[in-house]
PDB file of all heavy atoms in Angstrom:
ATOM      1  N   ALA A  72       7.562  19.749  21.170  1.00 46.00           N
ATOM      2  CA  ALA A  72       8.069  21.014  20.631  1.00 46.00           C
ATOM      3  C   ALA A  72       8.763  21.824  21.714  1.00 46.00           C
ATOM      4  O   ALA A  72       9.691  22.559  21.442  1.00 46.00           O
ATOM      5  CB  ALA A  72       6.941  21.824  20.013  1.00 46.00           C
ATOM      6  N   GLY A  73       8.348  21.702  22.949  1.00 44.00           N
ATOM      7  CA  GLY A  73       8.974  22.409  24.050  1.00 44.00           C
ATOM      8  C   GLY A  73      10.401  21.972  24.279  1.00 44.00           C
ATOM      9  O   GLY A  73      11.206  22.702  24.833  1.00 44.00           O
ATOM     10  N   ASP A  74      10.748  20.763  23.864  1.00 47.00           N
ATOM     11  CA  ASP A  74      12.105  20.261  24.045  1.00 47.00           C
ATOM     12  C   ASP A  74      13.096  20.977  23.141  1.00 47.00           C
ATOM     13  O   ASP A  74      14.297  20.897  23.356  1.00 47.00           O
ATOM     14  CB  ASP A  74      12.167  18.752  23.783  1.00 47.00           C
ATOM     15  CG  ASP A  74      11.387  17.958  24.820  1.00 47.00           C
ATOM     16  OD1 ASP A  74      11.160  18.481  25.932  1.00 47.00           O
ATOM     17  OD2 ASP A  74      11.015  16.824  24.508  1.00 47.00           O
ATOM     18  N   GLN A  75      12.609  21.656  22.106  1.00 51.00           N
ATOM     19  CA  GLN A  75      13.506  22.350  21.199  1.00 51.00           C
ATOM     20  C   GLN A  75      13.959  23.690  21.774  1.00 51.00           C
ATOM     21  O   GLN A  75      14.903  24.270  21.308  1.00 51.00           O
ATOM     22  CB  GLN A  75      12.827  22.573  19.854  1.00 51.00           C
ATOM     23  CG  GLN A  75      12.530  21.266  19.146  1.00 51.00           C
ATOM     24  CD  GLN A  75      11.696  21.482  17.904  1.00 51.00           C
ATOM     25  OE1 GLN A  75      11.279  22.573  17.594  1.00 51.00           O
ATOM     26  NE2 GLN A  75      11.452  20.406  17.179  1.00 51.00           N
ATOM     27  N   VAL A  76      13.278  24.202  22.789  1.00 50.00           N
ATOM     28  CA  VAL A  76      13.662  25.454  23.432  1.00 50.00           C
ATOM     29  C   VAL A  76      14.632  25.120  24.550  1.00 50.00           C
ATOM     30  O   VAL A  76      14.358  24.252  25.365  1.00 50.00           O
ATOM     31  CB  VAL A  76      12.417  26.180  23.996  1.00 50.00           C
ATOM     32  CG1 VAL A  76      12.815  27.451  24.706  1.00 50.00           C
ATOM     33  CG2 VAL A  76      11.416  26.456  22.887  1.00 50.00           C
ATOM     34  N   PRO A  77      15.792  25.798  24.611  1.00 52.00           N
ATOM     35  CA  PRO A  77      16.754  25.507  25.675  1.00 52.00           C
ATOM     36  C   PRO A  77      16.113  25.673  27.051  1.00 52.00           C
ATOM     37  O   PRO A  77      15.286  26.546  27.274  1.00 52.00           O
ATOM     38  CB  PRO A  77      17.854  26.540  25.454  1.00 52.00           C
ATOM     39  CG  PRO A  77      17.721  26.943  24.024  1.00 52.00           C
ATOM     40  CD  PRO A  77      16.281  26.794  23.690  1.00 52.00           C
ATOM     41  N   ALA A  78      16.521  24.805  27.981  1.00 49.00           N
ATOM     42  CA  ALA A  78      15.945  24.801  29.318  1.00 49.00           C
ATOM     43  C   ALA A  78      16.099  26.161  29.998  1.00 49.00           C
ATOM     44  O   ALA A  78      15.200  26.607  30.707  1.00 49.00           O
ATOM     45  CB  ALA A  78      16.600  23.716  30.164  1.00 49.00           C
ATOM     46  N   SER A  79      17.219  26.845  29.766  1.00 47.00           N
ATOM     47  CA  SER A  79      17.431  28.141  30.409  1.00 47.00           C
ATOM     48  C   SER A  79      16.374  29.149  29.981  1.00 47.00           C
ATOM     49  O   SER A  79      15.935  29.970  30.767  1.00 47.00           O
ATOM     50  CB  SER A  79      18.826  28.669  30.095  1.00 47.00           C
ATOM     51  OG  SER A  79      18.957  28.854  28.701  1.00 47.00           O
ATOM     52  N   GLU A  80      15.926  29.084  28.699  1.00 48.00           N
ATOM     53  CA  GLU A  80      14.908  29.998  28.230  1.00 48.00           C
ATOM     54  C   GLU A  80      13.540  29.609  28.752  1.00 48.00           C
ATOM     55  O   GLU A  80      12.728  30.470  29.047  1.00 48.00           O
ATOM     56  CB  GLU A  80      14.896  30.048  26.702  1.00 48.00           C
ATOM     57  CG  GLU A  80      16.098  30.750  26.143  1.00 48.00           C
ATOM     58  CD  GLU A  80      16.051  30.853  24.640  1.00 48.00           C
ATOM     59  OE1 GLU A  80      14.944  30.761  24.069  1.00 48.00           O
ATOM     60  OE2 GLU A  80      17.115  31.028  24.037  1.00 48.00           O
ATOM     61  N   ARG A  81      13.257  28.300  28.853  1.00 47.00           N
ATOM     62  CA  ARG A  81      11.962  27.875  29.405  1.00 47.00           C
ATOM     63  C   ARG A  81      11.843  28.330  30.836  1.00 47.00           C
ATOM     64  O   ARG A  81      10.811  28.818  31.266  1.00 47.00           O
ATOM     65  CB  ARG A  81      11.821  26.349  29.314  1.00 47.00           C
ATOM     66  CG  ARG A  81      11.423  25.858  27.952  1.00 47.00           C
ATOM     67  CD  ARG A  81      10.937  24.428  28.029  1.00 47.00           C
ATOM     68  NE  ARG A  81      11.849  23.552  28.741  1.00 47.00           N
ATOM     69  CZ  ARG A  81      12.763  22.783  28.172  1.00 47.00           C
ATOM     70  NH1 ARG A  81      12.895  22.782  26.868  1.00 47.00           N
ATOM     71  NH2 ARG A  81      13.555  22.015  28.891  1.00 47.00           N
ATOM     72  N   GLU A  82      12.931  28.189  31.632  1.00 48.00           N
ATOM     73  CA  GLU A  82      12.889  28.581  33.031  1.00 48.00           C
ATOM     74  C   GLU A  82      12.803  30.082  33.176  1.00 48.00           C
ATOM     75  O   GLU A  82      12.143  30.602  34.056  1.00 48.00           O
ATOM     76  CB  GLU A  82      14.138  28.067  33.758  1.00 48.00           C
ATOM     77  CG  GLU A  82      14.148  26.553  33.872  1.00 48.00           C
ATOM     78  CD  GLU A  82      15.485  26.014  34.334  1.00 48.00           C
ATOM     79  OE1 GLU A  82      16.361  26.817  34.693  1.00 48.00           O
ATOM     80  OE2 GLU A  82      15.644  24.790  34.337  1.00 48.00           O
ATOM     81  N   ALA A  83      13.473  30.828  32.278  1.00 47.00           N
ATOM     82  CA  ALA A  83      13.468  32.280  32.371  1.00 47.00           C
ATOM     83  C   ALA A  83      12.153  32.870  31.883  1.00 47.00           C
ATOM     84  O   ALA A  83      11.867  34.025  32.100  1.00 47.00           O
ATOM     85  CB  ALA A  83      14.632  32.865  31.565  1.00 47.00           C
ATOM     86  N   GLY A  84      11.360  32.064  31.202  1.00 48.00           N
ATOM     87  CA  GLY A  84      10.066  32.532  30.734  1.00 48.00           C
ATOM     88  C   GLY A  84      10.137  33.320  29.453  1.00 48.00           C
ATOM     89  O   GLY A  84       9.206  34.010  29.106  1.00 48.00           O
ATOM     90  N   THR A  85      11.244  33.243  28.737  1.00 45.00           N
ATOM     91  CA  THR A  85      11.321  33.958  27.471  1.00 45.00           C
ATOM     92  C   THR A  85      10.668  33.105  26.407  1.00 45.00           C
ATOM     93  O   THR A  85      10.593  31.889  26.513  1.00 45.00           O
ATOM     94  CB  THR A  85      12.779  34.259  27.078  1.00 45.00           C
ATOM     95  OG1 THR A  85      13.490  33.037  27.003  1.00 45.00           O
ATOM     96  CG2 THR A  85      13.415  35.199  28.066  1.00 45.00           C
ATOM     97  N   SER A  86      10.207  33.759  25.366  1.00 46.00           N
ATOM     98  CA  SER A  86       9.517  33.024  24.320  1.00 46.00           C
ATOM     99  C   SER A  86      10.357  33.019  23.061  1.00 46.00           C
ATOM    100  O   SER A  86      11.310  33.760  22.930  1.00 46.00           O
ATOM    101  CB  SER A  86       8.167  33.683  24.033  1.00 46.00           C
ATOM    102  OG  SER A  86       8.369  34.935  23.423  1.00 46.00           O
ATOM    103  N   ALA A  87       9.928  32.210  22.107  1.00 48.00           N
ATOM    104  CA  ALA A  87      10.620  32.155  20.822  1.00 48.00           C
ATOM    105  C   ALA A  87      10.442  33.465  20.071  1.00 48.00           C
ATOM    106  O   ALA A  87      11.203  33.778  19.179  1.00 48.00           O
ATOM    107  CB  ALA A  87      10.086  30.994  19.984  1.00 48.00           C
ATOM    108  N   ASP A  88       9.405  34.265  20.435  1.00 49.00           N
ATOM    109  CA  ASP A  88       9.168  35.543  19.781  1.00 49.00           C
ATOM    110  C   ASP A  88      10.041  36.650  20.336  1.00 49.00           C
ATOM    111  O   ASP A  88      10.096  37.731  19.793  1.00 49.00           O
ATOM    112  CB  ASP A  88       7.708  35.960  19.943  1.00 49.00           C
ATOM    113  CG  ASP A  88       6.767  35.012  19.218  1.00 49.00           C
ATOM    114  OD1 ASP A  88       7.230  34.355  18.259  1.00 49.00           O
ATOM    115  OD2 ASP A  88       5.593  34.930  19.606  1.00 49.00           O
ATOM    116  N   ALA A  89      10.717  36.394  21.461  1.00 46.00           N
ATOM    117  CA  ALA A  89      11.553  37.424  22.071  1.00 46.00           C
ATOM    118  C   ALA A  89      12.717  37.732  21.156  1.00 46.00           C
ATOM    119  O   ALA A  89      13.243  36.858  20.484  1.00 46.00           O
ATOM    120  CB  ALA A  89      12.074  36.952  23.430  1.00 46.00           C
ATOM    121  N   PRO A  90      13.132  38.991  21.092  1.00 47.00           N
ATOM    122  CA  PRO A  90      14.224  39.331  20.177  1.00 47.00           C
ATOM    123  C   PRO A  90      15.526  38.638  20.554  1.00 47.00           C
ATOM    124  O   PRO A  90      15.844  38.520  21.718  1.00 47.00           O
ATOM    125  CB  PRO A  90      14.355  40.845  20.317  1.00 47.00           C
ATOM    126  CG  PRO A  90      13.575  41.227  21.517  1.00 47.00           C
ATOM    127  CD  PRO A  90      12.633  40.121  21.830  1.00 47.00           C
ATOM    128  N   GLN A  91      16.219  38.171  19.542  1.00 45.00           N
ATOM    129  CA  GLN A  91      17.484  37.490  19.748  1.00 45.00           C
ATOM    130  C   GLN A  91      18.597  38.513  19.630  1.00 45.00           C
ATOM    131  O   GLN A  91      18.441  39.551  19.021  1.00 45.00           O
ATOM    132  CB  GLN A  91      17.688  36.406  18.673  1.00 45.00           C
ATOM    133  CG  GLN A  91      16.609  35.355  18.656  1.00 45.00           C
ATOM    134  CD  GLN A  91      16.723  34.385  19.803  1.00 45.00           C
ATOM    135  OE1 GLN A  91      17.810  34.060  20.231  1.00 45.00           O
ATOM    136  NE2 GLN A  91      15.606  33.926  20.328  1.00 45.00           N
ATOM    137  N   ALA A  92      19.731  38.191  20.189  1.00 43.00           N
ATOM    138  CA  ALA A  92      20.904  39.022  19.999  1.00 43.00           C
ATOM    139  C   ALA A  92      21.288  38.943  18.529  1.00 43.00           C
ATOM    140  O   ALA A  92      20.814  38.077  17.808  1.00 43.00           O
ATOM    141  CB  ALA A  92      22.042  38.539  20.891  1.00 43.00           C
TER     142      ALA A  92
END
Side-chain angles (χ1 to χ4, degrees):
D74 294 338
Q75 295 172 356
V76 178
S79 62
E80 289 183 22
R81 280 196 310 264
E82 292 169 7
T85 58
S86 69
D88 295 336
Q91 301 285 326

